[in-house]
Amino acid sequence: MSRRPSPSSRKVIPIKRVECEPLTRCDLQYDLLRNIFSDTHAVFTNPWPTSSDTPGAKLTFRNLYIKTILNSTKATKAFREKLSELDIFAEDFAMLALLVNVGRINTTMSFFPEMKTAIRSYHPVPALQRSSGNLQDAPRIKHMLKAVTVEGESTPPSSIPADILTRLNSGHVPPTTVSNLIFGLANHSSSIGHLHLPDDVDFIDLFMRTDLSSESRARAFLWLCFNYLESAAPSKEDDYDNDVIANPFGDPRRDGKPSFVHLGPEEAALENVDPPSEIQLAEKLIKQRTGLVQAQQSKDKDKQTVASSASGSVIGDADDTPGSVGEEIGALSQAKGKRKRENPPTVKNPRTTTKEKKSTPAVTDKMPKGRKQKATKNAAAIDPNVPVEDATTSGRGNTRRRVMNIQNQYPHHQSQVPSSSDHQFPAESERGPNHRYAPYQRGHTSLRQTSDIYQTARSRRPVQPRSFLQHAWLKVTTVDPLIDSDDDDDEHARHEYMQRLRVVAGILGTPFSDAGQPPPSPQQPTIQSDPNHQTQYV
């Protein structure tokens, strides 16, 4: 005769509910859980005895299951303390954990309203929330149950029911933890029902069939736990019947095996009824969850507003939150710097005539492109009409820049350079300490400004010995070959500087001597400077 398939094989075992939908007593089969945890038969061995326990004392299923949770390596110290102090919370949590243990509670469910993740759904459980304890979520509960081991073993034994019976018959009592046993019974639901349960009932049907009384299903569940943890029922092949301990949860009318009481629709409707207090509690928890979700959505919206404002182009669009204005200023500075690199500004000298513009490239047409641009920029930087910060930030100058500046100041004498023989140096009191002057005039404002620039550059640059490679690299990269002439004691370097001065003087048509400064030309106006730096032409 073929066995009729169990109704559970045509159903989805986990409870399916949407966000914020409460789990009722009918969903939990609360009367079944209450009968399991209210049973008073202390027949289970304590796997974790302590010195304070009575030797050989047995435990009820309720105490055994709570002790199993307490001995999990995933249970925190604070959680253990709460379970030990609050009996009501410990029992409620153990009932919920049992539903996770058999697979009725899916790992996508959570049971505390502060839950923020979107991969789980929140569900009030008013029947199991008689206290203010946190019921956590299904994945944590499952990890907690799997992280329990028998004393003296590092890993749980096999969860296959046949292996558990073999270990039990070999003298290991209990052969495994109760949580590991229930995982194994749920994974082999059909075979367990075929071996031990009547009326074509599978193991998972004990938590789903409403046409069977809750009390009879609870006794069948406890009978299976005792059979695999304490004493196996004898089979036809066994010859040690005298050593078998009678299962206290069996029906004497069926030779100690479990039996069920069938219910009609009217009788089944009287079980697992939600009282009004639990309905009100569910509504309260749903409102609490809704308020927390709305508050979280407001915070997320504010964060998105601040982030979008910080990435915008107008500073006033951002909220007055710390850091938002600074972030926008930094973004604007970056954008401005990028535009400046793409389109470098050109400084125009309004005093420059068409003839002078044509003469400037004549001096720099043989320069490399990079140096030509820098020379042009520096030439504009030393002009008195340009702001001072543009001139001081130019850093190094070069000889060609001085030439172009002098040509601009003396358009009628572009081929001659003002002589420095009549230049009057300032008094000793006006000089700075250890200050040396280059052989160039300081009478004119632009030349004096250029000298100040050189003085600033020398004061910022430390003087230190240079190797041959450093010296060669400096000569290659230095735009102005005379900027270090006053600080360098190398005779070879001085000789090179004098050669460059001779070339520059030759370009300007001015006589030059290695022994001293170039003599003034008869056609050349001589510049004299009074102490007030007023330029006079003689």
Side-chain angles (χ1 to χ4, degrees):
M1 182 178 178
S2 60
R3 187 171 187 267
R4 180 175 60 85
S6 170
S8 63
S9 61
R10 300 188 297 269
K11 297 180 181 179
V12 178
I13 296 175
I15 302 173
K16 297 294 184 179
R17 295 293 181 270
V18 298
E19 169 72 18
C20 279
E21 187 174 358
L23 301 184
T24 63
R25 288 197 173 197
C26 185
D27 296 329
L28 304 174
Q29 289 294 293
Y30 179 78
D31 288 351
L32 166 71
L33 300 177
R34 185 186 59 188
N35 280 281
I36 291 175
F37 282 86
S38 62
D39 186 82
T40 58
H41 290 86
V43 292
F44 294 97
T45 303
N46 183 6
W48 307 277
T50 60
S51 57
S52 59
D53 296 334
T54 304
K58 298 291 185 175
L59 303 175
T60 62
F61 180 85
R62 174 190 181 276
N63 295 336
L64 173 66
Y65 204 80
I66 293 175
K67 189 176 285 291
T68 300
I69 298 173
L70 288 171
N71 284 272
S72 173
T73 57
K74 296 295 184 179
T76 62
K77 181 180 178 181
F79 181 73
R80 292 193 187 103
E81 292 176 354
K82 193 159 191 176
L83 285 179
S84 303
E85 295 172 358
L86 300 177
D87 291 340
I88 296 178
F89 172 73
E91 184 174 320
D92 290 345
F93 187 85
M95 289 183 181
L96 185 65
L98 179 59
L99 295 178
V100 175
N101 209 165
V102 299
R104 283 289 285 159
I105 297 294
N106 200 354
T107 53
T108 59
M109 289 187 173
S110 180
F111 309 104
F112 56 98
E114 297 82 5
M115 186 267 301
K116 297 181 181 180
T117 179
I119 62 175
R120 298 187 184 94
S121 56
Y122 166 73
H123 302 278
V125 193
L128 303 181
Q129 291 180 304
R130 295 177 291 174
S131 62
S132 60
N134 186 354
L135 293 180
Q136 303 189 16
D137 52 34
R140 295 185 183 182
I141 297 174
K142 189 172 183 179
H143 292 160
M144 198 179 300
L145 296 174
K146 284 185 172 292
V148 186
T149 58
V150 180
E151 186 177 7
E153 298 183 2
S154 58
T155 58
S158 173
S159 60
I160 300 176
D163 295 341
I164 295 176
L165 283 179
T166 303
R167 183 177 174 86
L168 175 64
N169 294 330
S170 63
H172 293 83
V173 180
T176 185
T177 63
V178 63
S179 59
N180 188 53
L181 169 65
I182 295 173
F183 279 126
L185 296 177
N187 292 333
H188 300 81
S189 176
S190 180
S191 60
I192 293 298
H194 181 71
L195 288 173
H196 306 290
L197 301 178
D199 301 331
D200 301 323
V201 177
D202 292 344
F203 173 77
I204 198 63
D205 289 335
L206 301 178
F207 295 85
M208 299 178 64
R209 293 275 296 269
T210 58
D211 59 332
L212 304 176
S213 67
S214 299
E215 184 180 0
S216 62
R217 286 182 285 148
R219 290 181 64 86
F221 172 78
L222 295 173
W223 186 94
L224 290 172
C225 292
F226 184 88
N227 183 74
Y228 283 88
L229 293 177
E230 300 296 329
S231 178
S235 62
K236 295 180 180 179
E237 293 80 7
D238 293 334
D239 55 356
Y240 52 91
D241 294 346
N242 294 331
D243 297 334
V244 175
I245 303 174
N247 195 319
F249 306 103
D251 188 353
R253 296 172 298 178
R254 297 190 70 249
D255 298 330
K257 293 184 179 180
S259 62
F260 296 104
V261 177
H262 294 265
L263 301 177
E266 296 79 7
E267 296 174 329
L270 298 176
E271 293 188 346
N272 303 306
V273 178
D274 296 303
S277 61
E278 292 182 2
I279 296 176
Q280 295 176 0
L281 178 59
E283 294 176 354
K284 178 182 177 181
L285 294 174
I286 292 173
K287 290 181 180 179
Q288 181 183 1
R289 170 66 176 173
T290 303
L292 292 174
V293 171
Q294 292 177 353
Q296 183 64 31
Q297 289 177 352
S298 300
K299 291 182 181 179
D300 295 341
K301 186 177 180 180
D302 294 341
K303 290 180 181 179
Q304 292 177 359
T305 303
V306 173
S308 60
S309 301
S311 61
S313 59
V314 180
I315 297 178
D317 293 342
D319 295 336
D320 294 334
T321 54
S324 61
V325 176
E327 292 173 357
E328 292 189 6
I329 292 176
L332 290 174
S333 301
Q334 273 191 349
K336 183 177 179 181
K338 185 176 181 181
R339 292 195 298 269
K340 187 174 181 181
R341 290 193 298 271
E342 294 175 353
N343 302 312
T346 56
V347 182
K348 296 183 179 180
N349 186 0
R351 300 178 59 185
T352 305
T353 61
T354 306
K355 183 177 180 181
E356 293 168 346
K357 290 181 180 179
K358 292 182 179 179
S359 62
T360 301
V363 183
T364 61
D365 54 355
K366 296 184 180 181
M367 297 176 60
K369 184 177 180 181
R371 294 192 179 186
K372 185 185 299 183
Q373 293 177 352
K374 189 170 183 179
T376 305
K377 182 178 179 181
N378 291 340
I382 63 174
D383 193 273
N385 293 324
V386 181
V388 177
E389 57 269 20
D390 294 341
T392 56
T393 56
S394 61
R396 301 178 179 180
N398 54 49
T399 305
R400 295 184 181 88
R401 185 177 64 185
R402 296 192 190 93
V403 171
M404 288 185 290
N405 186 68
I406 294 174
Q407 288 176 350
N408 294 335
Q409 300 299 328
Y410 306 101
H412 301 292
H413 304 278
Q414 293 185 11
S415 62
Q416 300 181 12
V417 178
S419 173
S420 61
S421 58
D422 297 330
H423 177 70
Q424 297 180 2
F425 291 94
E428 186 68 25
S429 60
E430 299 180 8
R431 303 180 185 180
N434 300 327
H435 183 76
R436 294 184 294 173
Y437 290 88
Y440 298 105
Q441 299 181 5
R442 297 187 62 208
H444 196 270
T445 304
S446 61
L447 296 179
R448 182 172 65 254
Q449 193 177 43
T450 305
S451 177
D452 295 339
I453 296 172
Y454 291 153
Q455 181 179 358
T456 303
R458 286 197 302 269
S459 64
R460 293 179 180 177
R461 185 178 63 257
V463 179
Q464 57 182 356
R466 295 193 301 267
S467 65
F468 177 77
L469 180 60
Q470 292 174 339
H471 183 74
W473 176 255
L474 182 64
K475 300 309 174 186
V476 172
T477 58
T478 302
V479 178
D480 186 3
L482 299 180
I483 190 170
D484 294 335
S485 60
D486 292 342
D487 297 333
D488 204 333
D489 295 334
D490 191 356
E491 293 296 333
H492 297 282
R494 281 204 188 93
H495 180 67
E496 180 183 359
Y497 295 159
M498 298 301 293
Q499 287 181 339
R500 298 192 181 201
L501 287 175
R502 190 181 297 108
V503 172
V504 173
I507 294 174
L508 300 177
T510 303
F512 184 81
S513 174
D514 293 348
Q517 303 297 330
S521 174
Q523 295 82 11
Q524 171 183 319
T526 303
I527 299 177
Q528 293 181 354
S529 300
D530 58 5
N532 296 327
H533 301 287
Q534 300 294 330
T535 305
Q536 300 178 358
Y537 294 91
V538 180

